[in-house]
Amino acid sequence: MQKKAIVSACLLGERCRYDGKTKRDDKLLDALKEYEIIPFCPEAPLFGTPREKIHVMEKEGRRSIVTDESNKDVTTELADEIRSFMQKHPRAERIVLKSKSPSCGLGTTPILDETKRCVATGNGIAAEMFLQHYKTAKISDENEFHSR
Ligand code: SF4
């Protein structure tokens, strides 16, 4: 059975970022040649592209995902979208996520307080859910494929 890799779609060349741009990463694509690639982007199908930025916001010890200007809490919508993706794709050996994203970031996402001051770095909502769900997968971000 071919091994599967879930990869943030913007790293694959899709123009699904909030600003309509991509973050295509050829080194990553080359390194995962042996894998069946499963593109993943929870934000574009829900909010369209381009779209308002979103942030991880911490309030009274609870983290949520909030839109930048309209200040709307979109945590539930995003969690539902990610859950539905995980149901469709129950298995993966590798997961490579886009760093610093409020959805995809793995330990690199800015966590803001209510005044939008960065108070920590942590996981985006999808990274958090993937860590719980894909227990045996190797999960990393695109920095794995670049010398630091
Ligand atoms: S970082 Fe994640 S949510 Fe953001 S555009 Fe890329 S795949 Fe979509």
Side-chain angles (χ1 to χ4, degrees), residues 8-10 16-18 40-44 51 98 101 103-104:
S8 291
C10 55
C16 53
R17 278 169 54 89
Y18 75 94
F40 167 71
C41 178
E43 294 181 28
R51 58 184 171 275
K98 174 71 190 74
S101 151
S103 294
C104 296

Side-chain angles (χ1 to χ4, degrees), residues 1-19:
M1 210 193 304
Q2 192 180 13
K3 292 189 286 181
K4 296 181 183 212
I6 294 168
V7 183
S8 291
C10 55
L11 295 173
L12 298 171
E14 288 188 26
R15 298 188 170 277
C16 53
R17 278 169 54 89
Y18 75 94
D19 57 4

Side-chain angles (χ1 to χ4, degrees), residues 9 30 58 115 125:
D30 198 45
E58 191 165 87
T115 65
I125 182 170

Side-chain angles (χ1 to χ4, degrees), residues 2 4 7-10 17 20 24-26 40 42 45 58 71 74 84 90 92 98 106 112 126-127 136 139 145:
Q2 192 180 13
K4 296 181 183 212
V7 183
S8 291
C10 55
R17 278 169 54 89
R24 184 184 164 94
D25 190 316
D26 289 322
F40 167 71
E58 191 165 87
N71 231 20
V74 291
S84 144
K98 174 71 190 74
L106 184 69
L112 308 186
T136 59
I139 307 183
F145 303 93

